[in-house]
Amino acid sequence: MLTLTFLVKTLIDLYVMVLLLRIWMQWARTDFYNPFSQFVVRITQPVVGPLRRVVPSLGPVDSASLLLAFLLMTIKYPLLLLIQGGGLSLSPYNLLFGLISVIKSAGYLVFWMIIIRSIMSWVSRGNGPMDYVLMQLTEPLMAPVRRVIPAMGGIDFSAMVVVLVLYLLNYLGMDLFGQLWMLL
């Protein structure tokens, strides 16, 4: 059962991260003709496309993708309980669990995009198509930090500061929600 639990949790979490990435890319107005952007759109379009006919966008936010991410995270916890043999638990708290899980996934997505951008800056020197999209996504978070803490000795500390703030927010979530934060 642990293998199935791991598989279901990982697939739901990864798909929700891709949905949140789609929302973030639309909000940041990234280049949608980029191969990485096309991959994100193609992997989410079969589910989001029909849902968009029913759920309209709210300004720059792709509300259909956000609703789908919330629904997936809301059913994740009861589904994992069902797989582990604990029965199906349908409660209004599942909506809270779904909201907390979406917020936590958004934080993880930002964390990984900054880490990937930092690693790729060492490897590809900003020449690849994915570098451009990562720059478009993460630069609005890193530029304000760079204005306060400029590069010293050719080293840019903005990514490190943003990652430290994300860690701080993660610990704040642990303080506020306790063990629930770790389960989701």
Side-chain angles (χ1 to χ4, degrees), residues 87-140:
L88 189 62
S89 171
L90 297 175
S91 116
Y93 289 114
N94 290 342
L95 297 173
L96 176 64
F97 298 160
L99 179 65
I100 293 170
S101 294
V102 168
I103 292 169
K104 189 175 177 181
S105 291
Y108 279 134
L109 178 65
V110 171
F111 172 79
W112 284 112
M113 290 294 114
I114 289 175
I115 295 296
I116 291 170
R117 179 183 174 189
S118 298
I119 292 171
M120 288 187 72
S121 71
W122 299 336
V123 177
S124 66
R125 305 278 182 197
N127 297 331
M130 191 168 169
D131 290 321
Y132 183 64
V133 171
L134 288 172
M135 190 272 307
Q136 286 180 313
L137 291 174
T138 59
E139 195 59 28

